Amino acid sequence: MLQNAVRAALLDSEVYKEFRERAELVLHSVGTVSVTGVTLAVALRYTSPSTGGGFQNLQMVMVAFSTVLVGWMIWSFVAKALCNLWGSEAQFRDTMRTTGISYGPGILILLTTIPKVGPVVLFIVWVWILISVTRAIEVTHRVSLLKAAVPGFIGWFLAWILLPVLMLGSFFFSSTDLGS
């Protein structure tokens, strides 16, 4: 799994072709996305202000992990839907496998816990995942890079910006913090 995630992070088009064709590799994709979810949850736990008691911290970790998994599904759906409009015949499962393995750079989210460089590392990881998944969309759906960039960016925005704000925003912008 780790070797495939590294190959995908290095934009090796052969790994995307392999994941498109071999359904049994779905566990590698699930594992890679899960590792990214765990690293995000751990990073949030150790870099965000305390949300209160132990249960609230556990809840934040669980929501962060779930957000990555749901974001992966949304991104895969957006890619499949838009690429099918352009004539692609790749299935949703194929897209899920190839976008999932493209989350390989997500393990580096752990480095966001380093003071002062954390936000820069997070930005680099976000862009790296965007590039990796866009390449996966291009190879999986056999579309041009420009066409792959459209669902790549839309899916990335939904999965890594909008969804986390909606799902995790309550932990950081609760009504008690706003003086209500």
Side-chain angles (χ1 to χ4, degrees):
M1 179 178 82
L2 182 60
Q3 182 182 12
N4 287 328
V6 169
R7 287 175 56 208
L10 295 175
L11 309 178
D12 178 1
S13 64
E14 293 304 313
V15 75
Y16 305 124
K17 291 174 185 175
E18 186 178 337
F19 271 70
R20 180 185 62 217
E21 301 301 324
R22 295 183 51 204
E24 67 272 14
L25 292 176
V26 69
L27 293 179
H28 290 238
S29 296
V30 171
T32 303
V33 174
S34 295
V35 167
T36 299
V38 168
T39 59
L40 179 65
V42 169
L44 280 176
R45 171 63 186 100
Y46 290 103
T47 59
S48 63
S50 178
T51 58
F55 179 73
Q56 284 183 326
N57 287 331
L58 177 63
Q59 186 179 18
M60 180 184 68
V61 166
M62 290 173 21
V63 170
F65 177 79
S66 300
T67 300
V68 172
L69 292 177
V70 171
W72 167 45
M73 291 178 216
I74 290 171
W75 199 347
S76 297
F77 177 77
V78 166
K80 186 227 183 291
L82 288 177
C83 289
N84 280 9
L85 289 175
W86 295 319
S88 172
E89 294 184 10
Q91 299 297 313
F92 180 65
R93 293 176 187 161
D94 304 336
T95 308
M96 291 280 295
R97 288 192 304 274
T98 57
T99 58
I101 199 63
S102 300
Y103 272 58
I107 189 135
L108 299 176
I109 291 174
L110 278 180
L111 300 177
T112 63
T113 58
I114 300 171
K116 299 189 189 213
V117 297
V120 174
V121 170
L122 184 61
F123 178 76
I124 291 168
V125 170
W126 276 356
V127 171
W128 195 352
I129 291 173
L130 169 62
I131 292 167
S132 181
V133 173
T134 300
R135 179 75 173 129
I137 293 168
E138 176 188 17
V139 172
T140 302
H141 292 279
R142 298 178 178 117
V143 295
S144 69
L145 181 59
L146 185 61
K147 284 184 178 179
V150 173
F153 183 77
I154 292 170
W156 175 83
F157 178 78
L158 293 173
W160 286 97
I161 305 295
L162 186 61
L163 187 63
V165 167
L166 294 175
M167 298 282 287
L168 294 166
S170 64
F171 291 103
F172 302 109
F173 305 111
S174 67
S175 61
T176 58
D177 293 337
L178 298 175
S180 299

